[in-house]
Amino acid sequence: MAVGIFDSGLGGLTVYDAVTKQLPDLHVVYFGDNAHAPYGVRDADDVFNLTTTAIERLWDAGCDLVILACNTASAAALRRIQESWLPKDKRVLGVFVPLIEALTERQWGDNSPPREVAVKHVALFATPATVASRAFQRELAFRAIGVDVEAQACGGVVDAIEDGDMILADALVRSHVDALKRKMPHPEAAILGCTHYPMLAESFQDALGEDVQVYSQADLVAASLQDYLARHPDMLGTGTESAFLTTGDPAKVSRQATQFLRRKVDFVAA
Ligand code: DGL
């Protein structure tokens, strides 16, 4: 009964945290590709190759279902993974759709035609690769009409978090919010389209102002995983243990993860 959660680094821990709170009996194997983070500046082939290598490692750990808790991998590689790489008995799910369903007030899997929704001006904060892919706008267009999206590529933020430099990360967030506001002065909603960014949710909210609704993915993805597993119990893999795997330095990654999750976390080499 194990599910895999993958991210380029520490960001997917925001999703891990929400999933383990919502599904406390589930075994979760977390894979952080910290040696190769950030993905946000890599090209699509590179992201595909790194992501599929990590997914295969999670299959070896008994996880038939893998959540890509990484928007960059979801944007740059998920479609190719699902269309041309994935065997029939495995599943890989991304993190965009639950977020867009929440923004567009849809129930899980509601595939009715696009319609008008309450929010009209949305700010998207994401990595350069996610912004360049336009995957968010594409998924949104399937579900909503008349929504103006202004995207801000937040260069440097993931690097700063991975280096543990939260002061720099906070300063970068504020400058990216300023840049966004020059293009869209009054967004009604803001999407944190990178799983690292909830670690800086307060900085985003503070810089945006309290009247802007900030959406982040962790709880939305956890709820949609719970729903998915209730409908597809056969996708609970054979794994019987939880684990934290990293391609980076296990001691350093464990220290950072322990600080973030506020409980002792021991990563081992992937
Ligand atoms: N947490 C990843 C995401 O959601 C960060 C990507 C990166 O490594 O740049 O996009």
Side-chain angles (χ1 to χ4, degrees):
M1 273 195 27
V3 163
I5 295 185
F6 162 79
D7 183 41
S8 59
L10 297 166
L13 291 174
T14 57
V15 174
Y16 170 89
D17 196 32
V19 165
T20 51
K21 280 185 181 135
Q22 197 132 336
L23 297 159
D25 297 330
L26 183 69
H27 291 296
V28 178
V29 183
Y30 184 88
F31 186 116
D33 194 8
N34 303 74
H36 303 110
Y39 279 17
V41 291
R42 294 178 181 274
D43 68 28
D45 280 341
D46 212 4
V47 173
F48 175 85
N49 291 331
L50 291 169
T51 304
T52 48
T53 302
I55 292 170
E56 283 173 338
R57 177 67 184 85
L58 287 167
W59 290 344
D60 291 344
C63 304
D64 292 344
L65 168 64
V66 175
I67 307 292
L68 293 191
C70 176
N71 291 269
T72 308
S74 302
L78 183 59
R79 186 181 275 207
R80 185 168 158 200
I81 286 172
Q82 289 176 334
E83 287 177 1
S84 65
W85 182 79
L86 198 61
K88 283 204 170 21
D89 58 338
K90 310 281 189 215
R91 292 286 177 282
V92 176
L93 302 176
V95 282
F96 274 136
V97 171
L99 181 77
I100 291 174
E101 286 179 339
L103 183 74
T104 57
E105 308 146 29
R106 282 182 182 240
Q107 296 301 318
W108 203 96
D110 171 358
N111 288 327
S112 59
R115 55 179 182 255
E116 291 223 18
V117 293
V119 284
K120 301 285 180 224
H121 303 284
V122 176
L124 168 67
F125 297 95
T127 66
T130 299
V131 169
S133 75
R134 298 187 62 81
F136 177 85
Q137 288 90 328
R138 193 175 56 236
E139 291 294 338
L140 184 66
F142 290 138
R143 296 169 178 82
I145 44 178
V147 183
D148 182 18
V149 178
E150 194 65 61
Q152 177 65 34
C154 298
V157 176
V158 170
D159 308 62
I161 295 172
E162 289 288 318
D163 286 346
D165 190 343
M166 299 309 275
I167 294 173
L168 173 60
D170 172 78
L172 288 168
V173 164
R174 287 170 197 279
S175 92
H176 288 306
V177 170
D178 278 352
L180 182 283
K181 280 185 161 176
R182 285 196 288 277
K183 298 179 283 184
M184 179 183 272
H186 302 293
E188 296 150 34
I191 302 292
L192 304 189
C194 168
T195 52
H196 281 70
Y197 299 172
M199 297 185 187
L200 293 154
E202 278 177 28
S203 309
F204 276 102
Q205 188 75 68
D206 192 49
L208 284 159
E210 61 186 27
D211 51 333
V212 178
Q213 181 169 6
V214 176
Y215 287 81
S216 65
Q217 291 163 318
D219 290 334
L220 298 169
V221 171
S224 104
L225 175 62
Q226 184 169 32
D227 185 74
Y228 183 88
L229 289 175
R231 287 178 297 111
H232 301 277
D234 52 312
M235 289 319 298
L236 282 164
T238 54
T240 52
E241 279 177 42
S242 297
F244 291 93
L245 310 176
T246 179
T247 55
D249 170 5
K252 180 179 171 208
V253 176
S254 299
R255 254 193 326 275
Q256 289 170 299
T258 297
Q259 207 174 351
F260 168 64
L261 291 177
R262 295 198 179 93
R263 66 180 175 81
K264 181 119 179 60
V265 176
D266 283 316
F267 272 83
V268 296

